[in-house]
Amino acid sequence: MPAFDLPLTRLEHHRPDIEEPADFDGFWLSTLKEHGRTDPLVSVRPVETGLTLTRTWDVTFRGFAGDPVRAWFSRPAGAGELLPAVVEFAGYGRGRGLPHERLTWVNAGYAHLLMDNRGQGDQYGCGGDTPDPHAGAPGGPGPAVRGLLAPGDYHYRRLITDAVRAVAAVRGLPGVDPGRTVAVGNSQGGGLALAVAGLVPDLAALLVTAPLLCGIRRALDLTDAGPYGEIAAYLSVHRGAERDAYRTLSYVEGVSFARRAQAPAHFGVGLRDVVCPPSGTYGAFNRYGELTGVGGGKEIHAYPFNGHEGGDAVHVRRQLDWLAGLLAR
């Protein structure tokens, strides 16, 4: 795929205007208050994985509406001290899979929580274990369009609430230093991590690549790939529903969450990404922390000839080095 979005010289200064609802903060404050009144942890059960250097637990915590959400929690075997916790969010259509699939962060010495995606897990990977009992509102079959016509019904209202509750849950798990909690994600997971950074004021750090739900209106005009294509296909059938859909999407816009974030942040982006166009990532990066004065506590790495895979393992190594240096300080 050739480069199709703005040239890098323009992306570096891209600060999109967004149609932010007047009650954006109130919407999320009331949502999190309503669905965050109870202790998040339900159960923490050790599991046998066949790995001798990692210990893993099957965690269930209360997410949106108190619904049980599953997660894998892992620590390096034999680690006795309190560890920083990395909360990782999975990509679109993917579930938590099997406990031995994602070992980078635990091998780097962190406690690691991988949250399951409610109502997802059937598109690739090794499946998920968390149903979404609230998926009956009007909308299409894909997660991106479930409940699309009303903010209170939208799938991402529930999923973002789960993500915030995952941070609260990991802080209550054994061997975790609650003051050093980090949100990590790529694609949909990046969008969730960015939302967490905007809603959890004491997050220690954010690492996000190719985030979904950033610059949504522009992305819908640029690409038919992935989740944005599902939204466009739905609107092509439900003609005249654009106004309601755009209003709903404005409550999950990543640029709005980015403006409110406070944690130091590390971004990555492939400039040929047709799934999550790079102007969305740069829009979130350039406006990141503008309401909170994050200042110089952010950086971004661009990969001009890469698509949605971005910098892949090269970028992961940059993430590891950046986070280790940040926490050491």
Side-chain angles (χ1 to χ4, degrees), residues 113-196:
L113 185 83
L114 176 63
M115 186 188 86
D116 206 12
N117 287 323
R118 68 164 60 221
Q120 299 189 30
D122 298 322
Q123 293 189 22
Y124 66 103
C126 291
D129 300 294
T130 304
D132 184 4
H134 309 280
V145 289
R146 292 177 191 159
L148 180 62
L149 302 185
D153 295 334
Y154 195 35
H155 176 76
Y156 281 109
R157 179 182 181 233
R158 300 188 291 278
L159 198 57
I160 290 170
T161 302
D162 291 347
V164 172
R165 295 288 282 166
V167 171
V170 81
R171 287 172 165 170
L173 290 172
V176 167
D177 179 354
R180 292 186 292 168
T181 307
V182 180
V184 174
N186 174 73
S187 192
Q188 174 186 264
L192 294 177
L194 190 58
V196 166

